[in-house]
Amino acid sequence: MQELILKDKAILIADAHENTQRRGFWKFLQALKNNEISTPQLILMGDIFDLLIGEISATHDFAKPYIYLLEELAQTIEIIYLEGNHDFNLSCFFKKVKIFPIKTQPLKLKLHTSKVKNENSYIFLAHGDIFLSPCLQILLKSLRNHYLLVFLNWINQISFHAISKKILKNQNQKNLFYQIQNFENLANERYLKYNNLGSWVCEGHYHQNFILNKKNIKYFNPDSFAHKESFFLVEFKQEIEFREQKLRGQNV
């Protein structure tokens, strides 16, 4: 596979949790299409939808306009989509968008720019639901099983979408914006699991808008886009920087 490169002015979006009640990500895509926001590279850090699974048909109609628009944008923008724990088995939807399931995460991108002191450094990207306890890893792997999902889809259909409706209802009631106490300790623990001291690690999933930039620990957890409709612009100066921008500040 061709080595992936993190581009200057790339945009990172994590945890949009898009659903019928929350349409900020749709506004963002429209802004991209209308050139009100520009970037050479869009990186979606997972959980972009509250529920989008290849085998579960209930939310496919809702997602179709997003899929078509992402594929259209991918003709001129490199779009990388890291699957999360709410959106996975997505390869059936996309041809031009580059999909990376949990088994291929973390994704390693080279920081290829003369502006950064160490041109050979890398950034590691993941949704954040990796390096968990063995029990959780087995559970997450089983939930992605094609045959189990086909069976669950059948149950969902004959029950008039009772399962998917319950999941979406719970997501609408869930607090996506809580602060994790002592998150710096968790960030340190998470970082060490990547075994790449000195390189950047960027994870979604936790919704904390937290950055840790020390000599050997460089960790970034973006805010949930669903919180303030904020995304992060990557800028290469003396070192990599993540600049928060809010969709509401754009002319959309």
Side-chain angles (χ1 to χ4, degrees):
M1 180 184 293
Q2 182 180 4
E3 184 175 50
L4 292 170
I5 295 171
L6 181 66
K7 299 177 181 178
D8 192 24
K9 309 300 183 183
I11 286 177
L12 303 178
I13 285 184
D15 301 279
H17 288 279
E18 195 85 344
N19 60 35
T20 57
Q21 307 300 316
R22 196 163 34 224
R23 300 298 297 269
F25 184 59
W26 179 251
K27 291 191 293 182
F28 172 84
L29 294 180
Q30 291 295 320
L32 268 184
K33 180 180 179 180
N34 297 329
N35 296 315
E36 294 167 351
I37 298 173
S38 62
T39 182
Q41 186 180 48
L42 174 62
I43 301 176
L44 306 176
M45 301 288 296
D47 285 1
I48 301 304
F49 297 89
D50 255 349
L51 183 64
L52 182 60
I53 300 171
E55 294 86 351
I56 304 298
S57 59
T59 58
H60 290 184
D61 285 343
F62 170 76
K64 278 180 182 178
Y66 294 83
I67 294 166
Y68 294 152
L69 185 48
L70 283 166
E71 286 285 275
E72 178 184 340
L73 292 169
Q75 296 180 59
T76 55
I77 301 170
E78 182 181 33
I79 301 181
I80 293 171
Y81 195 141
L82 305 177
E83 293 185 348
N85 51 296
H86 287 269
D87 46 0
F88 52 86
N89 294 2
L90 303 179
S91 59
C92 60
F93 298 125
F94 297 102
K95 293 182 179 179
K96 297 182 176 65
V97 174
K98 299 174 181 177
I99 303 297
F100 293 90
I102 189 172
K103 64 183 179 182
T104 64
Q105 298 177 32
L107 185 62
K108 181 180 178 182
L109 277 70
K110 188 174 183 181
L111 305 182
H112 188 65
T113 172
S114 59
K115 295 181 182 178
V116 177
K117 293 178 182 178
N118 183 1
E119 295 183 33
N120 296 318
S121 59
Y122 293 86
I123 185 170
F124 294 83
L125 303 174
H127 173 61
D129 56 340
I130 58 174
F131 305 133
L132 302 177
S133 67
C135 289
L136 277 175
Q137 290 185 59
I138 292 171
L139 176 62
L140 288 172
K141 185 176 181 180
S142 64
L143 286 175
R144 287 170 168 82
N145 181 272
H146 170 75
Y147 299 103
L148 173 61
L149 289 169
V150 168
F151 174 72
L152 290 175
N153 186 55
W154 176 71
I155 295 294
N156 194 46
Q157 288 177 327
I158 65 173
S159 65
F160 302 99
H161 305 306
I163 297 173
S164 56
K165 286 178 181 177
K166 180 66 173 177
I167 292 172
L168 292 171
K169 181 180 179 180
N170 288 342
Q171 281 300 113
N172 274 322
Q173 295 174 346
K174 184 178 179 181
N175 178 14
L176 298 174
F177 322 126
Y178 58 89
Q179 292 295 311
I180 298 176
Q181 296 297 315
N182 301 315
F183 186 72
E184 183 171 346
N185 293 334
L186 178 60
N188 277 283
E189 294 173 6
R190 296 286 305 163
Y191 184 86
L192 293 175
K193 294 179 183 295
Y194 284 80
N195 296 318
N196 289 285
L197 294 180
S199 295
W200 275 99
V201 167
C202 179
E203 294 186 313
H205 190 58
Y206 295 104
H207 309 181
Q208 295 300 295
N209 197 7
F210 175 87
I211 193 163
L212 192 61
N213 188 359
K214 298 181 180 179
K215 182 177 180 180
N216 289 323
I217 299 179
K218 299 180 182 297
Y219 178 91
F220 177 49
N221 176 242
D223 199 359
S224 163
F225 181 87
H227 184 196
K228 297 179 292 186
E229 294 185 351
S230 62
F231 53 94
F232 293 84
L233 186 69
V234 177
E235 295 184 323
F236 293 126
K237 297 182 178 179
Q238 289 300 309
E239 59 179 337
I240 188 173
E241 293 184 7
F242 305 95
R243 183 159 59 87
E244 184 176 11
Q245 294 190 338
K246 291 183 174 61
L247 180 60
R248 294 187 183 93
Q250 300 292 333
N251 182 25
V252 295

